Each structure stands twice: as C-alpha cells, then as structure tokens.
Amino acid sequence: MKRYFDDVLLGSIELFCFAAELGSFTAAATAAGVTPAAVSRSIARLEERLGVRLFVRTTRQIRLTDGGRLYFEQCRQALSQLTDAERQVTGGQAKPAGALRISAPTPYAHYRLLPLLGEFRRRYPEVTLDIHVSNRNIDFADEGYDLAIRGRSPADSNLIARKLEDAELVLVAAPAYLKRAGKPKKLEDLQNHECVQFDLPSTGKRIPWPFMVDGAQVDVPTGGGLCCSEDVLGIVTLARAGAGLVQTYRFIVEQDLARGDLVELLPQHGGTSRPFILLYPHARHLSLRVRTFVDFLIEKLPRS
C-alpha cells in the first residue's frame, strides 16, 4: 500500500481544522499548544501541496475560501472517523464524542427536535451539536452534514432513509376569522375562504391540501391572497392572527386547539399526514456519535 500522508502532514491537517473551526491562527495555536507561526507554516505546507488557497487572510481575520471550506468538511469527517476507530478498538466506544452537524426543517426542528437536545447533551456531554434550521435541501458531502430530517426520501442511494413519523395534518382557523367569514361545512366551501398558502422551497410550487374523501386521499384546490415561503411556521402565525384558514401539522397547533385559540375544521375529512424522514450515510460510514444520536431520536420521538 502506497503511503500518502506522513506525520507532519497529518499534524498540518489537524492544525488547519483547528484554525477553520476557531477562525484564528492564534486560537488554533493555543488550542493545539503550539505557536501561531507553526500554524501558519502548516497551512502554507497544505496550500503548497494542494495548489489551492485555503484561507483569505486580512490583518483582522481569516476566512475559508470555497476550496478551503470543502477541504475542511472532508478533513473534519476523516479525523472524526479516525477518532471513533481509536475509541472502538480501545474499548472507548461507550462514550460518543465530537461534533454533530444536523439539518432540520423549521416545523420539525422547533416542535420535535430542539426540545430533545438538552436531554441528549446531558446524556452525552462530549458530543457537541450544530443545528441548521432551514427548509433548504442540503448536500451531505459538500456541506459536511452528519444527519438531516426531511419530508421525503432522497434519490441519493448513498443515504439511509428512516421514517421518524407520519405527522397528522389538520385544518384550522382562529375564532376571529370564523366569526367574520363563517365556518366551512364541506370541502366545496373552501373556495369561498381565505386559504393561506405555502410555497415549497424545493420546487417553488404551492403545497396542495390533502383531505380524506370516502376513504381515499384527494388534493383539494384552494386559493387566497396570502402566501408564505421558506418558513412554514409563517402560515401558522397568520392563522393565529385571524388571517384565514391553514392546513398544518397537528403537533404545531395542538396547544392552540386545547386553549381555543384555534378551531379544528372539517374533521370528517381529516386523517391525512405527511412523513418526516431521518437521512444519514450508510452504516459503514457512521461514527459512534451518529449512531447514538439516531438511536436517541428513535427512542424519544412519537411512534408512527
């Protein structure tokens, strides 16, 4: 087997990752117990080897170039895997450690994921969590994510897709809106109401409203002069303010319904749902902290 990396180069990669994480050669030097000049020389060696500039340097700060960012994410994952391998062969696999980068859409993050993370950190204090809350689709390889939660399975065969739950949908409105506009009694009445819309970030198209009709799910056309994009929680805020009807996840509005701040509508056509799916690389690429986090979510989240 040909040798590609010597001890000096591996040390340079570690110092590069310190500098990228901390945003400073001085901070990286302090963390590693070396001088800032040693960090600077290590980065220079890497840039010469790669033929790529890794940092943009000014008198006040450093920041990764596009190539540097890609190199950092790959190196970070590689070093994490080496650390996990060492723990496993030395019997340390019972204590997951290191950084986890997770992407989750806004509704699931705020109402399902984020409330659990305090308990996870108490159980596994050596694991740090970087949570990306957005409905934007992410790229695992290029952006360095360990896990993502999304509303559909990916086309990427290199990812495992594990359903977390089928989240029930519910049609709601505020009492103030219903007092002003009346309560719909059948699906056909929706065309006479202000139905707040949401544009799906991945396609730019409006999300259809599914309902159950004679035991089958059908998409019912709706319309209105209010539309949100990017953050689906915006439509719920509009509903609470009496702006119109909204179809959303029951877990978002269950407390509003219990207090009477929102009213459930057309329950005879309820029972539809949308899935939330956990995505992560195949098992042969998994670190201990990823496996631990996956098991934790499956344990804590509602069963479908």
Side-chain angles (χ1 to χ4, degrees):
M1 178 178 176
K2 185 177 179 181
R3 187 177 186 188
Y4 289 96
F5 303 99
D6 58 24
D7 294 342
V8 173
L9 181 56
L10 287 172
S12 294
I13 290 173
E14 283 191 304
L15 291 176
F16 161 70
C17 288
F18 271 129
E21 289 174 351
L22 300 173
S24 163
F25 285 2
T26 301
T30 300
V34 298
T35 65
V39 175
S40 183
R41 287 194 299 269
S42 293
I43 302 302
R45 278 195 296 267
L46 282 178
E47 291 179 326
E48 182 178 359
R49 173 187 171 91
L50 298 169
V52 172
R53 194 176 184 186
L54 298 173
F55 289 102
V56 176
R57 302 164 176 83
T58 69
T59 56
R60 295 185 177 181
Q61 64 179 2
I62 61 170
R63 62 180 176 82
L64 288 167
T65 63
D66 290 342
R69 186 174 300 106
L70 176 60
Y71 189 61
F72 167 61
E73 295 300 348
Q74 297 294 331
C75 288
R76 182 180 71 90
Q77 292 183 25
L79 291 174
S80 294
Q81 289 175 5
L82 287 173
T83 302
D84 288 335
E86 187 174 276
R87 286 197 185 97
Q88 290 183 33
V89 299
T90 59
Q93 65 267 36
K95 295 181 66 176
L100 269 182
R101 197 165 189 223
I102 305 163
S103 176
T106 49
Y108 212 78
H110 286 286
Y111 287 88
R112 288 289 200 246
L113 179 64
L114 296 179
L116 299 176
L117 298 188
E119 179 180 346
F120 181 83
R121 283 277 296 149
R122 289 191 293 273
R123 286 195 197 181
Y124 308 104
E126 294 182 39
V127 178
T128 60
L129 302 172
D130 178 7
I131 315 301
H132 175 263
V133 180
S134 171
N135 298 300
R136 176 181 67 84
N137 290 330
I138 56 95
D139 187 298
F140 274 87
D142 289 345
E143 299 181 65
Y145 284 96
D146 299 293
L147 305 108
I149 297 172
R150 287 294 176 263
R152 58 181 176 177
S153 297
D156 189 349
S157 61
N158 292 319
L159 297 176
I160 294 174
R162 188 166 182 176
K163 185 186 288 185
L164 293 173
E165 66 174 292
D166 286 309
E168 183 186 358
L169 293 166
V170 61
L171 182 67
V172 299
Y177 173 83
L178 298 176
K179 183 178 180 179
R180 182 174 72 251
K183 183 181 292 189
K185 293 182 172 55
K186 55 186 184 296
L187 290 176
E188 291 76 12
D189 293 342
L190 296 181
Q191 63 186 330
N192 300 318
H193 281 269
E194 181 74 65
C195 297
V196 182
Q197 306 294 312
F198 180 73
D199 286 347
L200 192 65
S202 59
T203 63
K205 296 181 180 179
R206 294 189 172 181
I207 294 182
W209 288 17
F211 294 94
M212 297 301 293
V213 178
D214 297 328
Q217 180 173 305
V218 298
D219 290 338
V220 176
T222 60
L226 287 167
C227 180
C228 288
S229 60
E230 297 296 335
D231 187 353
V232 72
L233 295 181
I235 65 172
V236 180
T237 299
L238 286 167
R240 289 169 177 152
L245 308 182
V246 161
Q247 189 181 59
T248 188
Y249 300 108
R250 183 178 291 276
F251 66 72
I252 295 177
V253 296
E254 55 190 354
Q255 292 186 13
D256 298 270
L257 294 171
R259 291 191 302 262
D261 295 336
L262 291 173
V263 177
E264 182 175 354
L265 304 169
L266 301 178
Q268 69 272 27
H269 294 293
T272 58
S273 64
R274 293 195 185 103
F276 281 97
I277 297 168
L278 180 64
L279 308 175
Y280 53 96
H282 276 290
R284 66 179 180 274
H285 301 304
L286 284 188
S287 65
L288 173 63
R289 61 186 172 279
V290 170
R291 293 196 302 271
T292 301
F293 191 81
V294 170
D295 291 343
F296 174 81
L297 283 189
I298 299 303
E299 171 197 340
K300 301 301 293 186
L301 289 172
R303 300 292 177 89
S304 297

